Amino acid sequence: MTALLVPTRPLDPPVPAAATDLTLRRGAARVLLGNWTGASTVPSRTLYPHQWSWDSAFIAIGLRHLSPRRAQRELETLLGAQWEDGRVPHIVFNPAVPLSAYFPSPDFWRSSHAGATAGAPAGIETSGIVQPPVHALAAWLVHEADPAESVRRGFLARMYPRLTAWHRYLTSARNLGGAGLAAVVHPWEPGMDNSPCWDGPLSRITPADPASFRRADLDHGHADDRPTDVDYGRYVQLAADYRDAGYADGGHTFAVEDPCVNALLIVSEYALARIAQAAGADPLVHERRAQRLTAALVSRLWDAEAGLFLCRDLVSGRLVQERSVAGLVPLIVPGLPEDIVRTLLDTLDGPHFRADDTGLVASYALSGHAFDRTRYWRGPAWFNTAWLIGRGLRLYGAADRAERLRAAFLSAARTSGFAEYVDPFTGEGRGTRDFAWTAALTLDLLATPHLETVR
């Protein structure tokens, strides 16, 4: 006879979902309050002790559920460091933080001097590169959280000219391919720093001398999770070359059209149309630009055989044959052809990403030759890309898939301690913990399970 296994104590009753959500909401709020500096929010108190551009946009989207006023301040602080040519720098440095706490630090970028011709602010030190343009979308969602307070403070009226200048920079100075799409000129710009998509274009770059810099990221992150020393040396050399050229655009040795960056630009153009209307300007300018950008995105970056959008290397002129999550993010773009939407949905759950099995979406194809489940952007799943793809799924009527993704997101955020990113198979937290955009987007998914769509 088989012995029965009897528990030594009664099993704990299941925790009601409402109680779990409340605990998760309180935890996420704790992270954002703890990372607040008085004017903005740091992504991490250890690894990222300054203000980052697209982080602040995602953070503002979550902060609006705690304090619309603070969410407005987040974006105002970031755009207060905007350059005269319209670019929004990817880092705004806190002068109270020691130079040794982060590299490249202000004394490397030298923005107030090296960027003077491009209109870098004289009294604020920033980096000289940019990040994906999520800001108009964030500004519109923040406005909607408390329209009366937004109008009283003139929030959109002040944001509109800055956001317009930002998009103008991307569609003019960064239109390096000549077809209207914005190009990135450094792997840090698309935000997916260490993606295998950059391996080919980066191979043209001779790495900086390792003795010329010290990697502060390894003080707080495990080397197995972070970019290799060789890749990091290439990042440093590219940034130094851009700086030494006065941050002028043109003649770049690294220039890529990225589908995620341009999808976010399109969605933010639609958001800017709403902002324009609220601010008494013409929304049609932005709607038409969004439509032109959509056509260019499809004609230049869609690859039916790969089953998703690919990056285009503007130096070689060829598509980069690497499947990354960046190629799925265009699901957020309204008006995509039906066959493209169907293919993207098939790719999401197909053998390359297997989102129906893994829950969250890997940052690089599980089938890819460079897949690494722990190394930064070469396989781990990230929360911001899951949030974006979830919006796209709802936009195109795949509510069941969106809800599955939302549930996986909230579960991973809870069990990982609001990790920077997670193992795509196990959900184990990787990178730093108490990561601000993970907490912020957790708040947003808890507050708005049926995400609104700007179009």
Side-chain angles (χ1 to χ4, degrees):
M1 173 182 284
T2 303
L4 294 177
L5 298 178
V6 180
T8 58
R9 62 177 178 80
L11 295 176
D12 293 332
V15 179
T20 301
D21 286 355
L22 179 59
T23 300
L24 189 58
R25 184 177 291 108
R26 286 173 173 168
R30 173 192 56 78
V31 171
L32 292 186
L33 294 174
N35 290 10
W36 176 253
T37 67
S40 63
T41 308
V42 296
S44 160
R45 283 287 179 182
T46 55
L47 192 56
Y48 307 105
H50 301 285
Q51 183 178 26
W52 262 258
S53 174
W54 78 326
D55 292 71
S56 277
F58 288 123
I59 289 164
I61 289 168
L63 271 177
R64 67 187 172 128
H65 302 294
L66 297 179
S67 168
R69 174 68 182 83
R70 184 171 287 190
Q72 292 176 27
R73 182 74 183 280
E74 184 79 36
L75 295 173
E76 290 165 349
T77 300
L78 177 69
L79 290 170
Q82 185 173 26
W83 293 24
E84 289 178 8
D85 66 2
R87 83 181 75 193
V88 176
H90 98 295
I91 302 176
V92 180
F93 290 106
N94 181 348
V97 173
L99 293 178
S100 61
Y102 182 81
F103 179 84
S105 50
D107 58 341
F108 172 89
W109 296 102
R110 306 171 205 159
S111 63
S112 58
H113 298 288
T117 301
I124 304 173
E125 292 300 325
T126 75
S127 66
I129 60 175
V130 302
Q131 278 190 324
V134 202
H135 312 89
L137 172 62
W140 178 252
L141 295 178
V142 167
H143 162 78
E144 286 194 313
D146 191 342
E149 173 68 1
S150 174
V151 170
R152 186 190 69 78
R153 296 191 64 250
F155 174 64
L156 291 184
R158 287 181 289 107
M159 290 291 100
Y160 179 66
R162 291 187 174 274
L163 292 168
T164 299
W166 169 217
H167 287 200
R168 187 184 304 118
Y169 169 76
L170 291 172
T171 55
S172 56
R174 288 301 187 88
N175 179 19
L176 301 179
L181 297 182
V184 295
V185 300
H186 194 289
W188 288 334
E189 290 199 319
M192 302 181 188
D193 309 10
N194 197 36
S195 170
C197 294
W198 319 136
D199 290 354
L202 268 180
S203 66
R204 296 187 291 263
I205 313 302
T206 301
D209 182 351
S212 67
F213 63 92
R214 189 188 75 83
R215 293 182 60 175
D217 62 319
L218 297 182
D219 293 343
H220 305 288
H222 196 284
D224 289 343
D225 290 353
R226 305 294 297 171
T228 65
D229 287 341
V230 171
D231 282 338
Y232 210 91
R234 291 185 170 117
Y235 303 157
V236 172
Q237 189 60 55
L238 268 177
D241 290 344
Y242 196 29
R243 175 200 65 204
D244 294 345
Y247 298 109
D249 289 307
H252 297 280
T253 52
F254 180 101
V256 176
E257 291 173 347
D258 174 77
C260 176
V261 168
N262 282 284
L264 291 171
L265 178 58
I266 292 166
V267 170
S268 279
E269 276 292 332
Y270 280 118
L272 202 51
R274 291 197 174 185
I275 293 171
Q277 190 167 28
D282 182 8
L284 291 179
V285 173
H286 304 291
E287 291 177 2
R288 290 168 180 159
R289 181 178 294 136
Q291 292 162 4
R292 291 194 300 271
L293 287 166
T294 301
L297 178 74
V298 170
S299 66
R300 289 183 63 79
L301 304 186
W302 173 248
D303 188 301
E305 184 175 350
L308 75 175
F309 290 87
L310 300 178
C311 297
R312 182 176 291 277
D313 180 359
L314 294 177
V315 176
S316 71
R318 294 189 294 269
L319 291 174
V320 177
Q321 297 298 319
E322 300 284 2
R323 293 180 176 91
S324 89
V325 71
L328 297 170
V329 170
L331 269 173
I332 63 173
V333 173
L336 289 178
E338 291 183 9
D339 61 321
I340 288 181
V341 173
R342 286 196 301 271
T343 302
L344 286 172
L345 294 178
D346 289 344
T347 300
L348 181 65
D349 286 342
H352 298 301
F353 289 93
R354 290 169 40 198
D356 57 341
D357 294 331
T358 62
L360 295 179
V361 186
S363 52
Y364 176 71
L366 308 177
S367 59
H369 68 97
F371 175 78
D372 185 326
R373 64 195 294 174
T374 65
R375 196 175 293 276
Y376 205 62
W377 289 110
R378 301 180 81 86
W382 290 71
F383 292 90
N384 64 328
T385 51
W387 183 87
L388 290 167
I389 290 171
R391 290 181 69 86
L393 291 171
R394 293 196 185 278
L395 172 64
Y396 286 106
D400 55 338
R401 299 191 193 196
E403 185 55 34
R404 181 188 70 202
L405 190 58
R406 175 179 177 269
F409 180 120
L410 295 177
S411 176
R414 180 178 63 253
T415 59
S416 71
F418 303 102
E420 185 179 2
Y421 47 92
V422 298
D423 184 300
F425 297 119
T426 67
E428 178 188 0
R430 309 296 301 189
T432 190
R433 303 302 192 272
D434 288 345
F435 197 65
W437 81 26
T438 303
L441 297 178
T442 295
L443 284 176
D444 193 63
L445 289 183
L446 288 170
T448 55
H450 303 293
L451 294 170
E452 63 274 81
T453 298
V454 175
R455 60 182 301 177

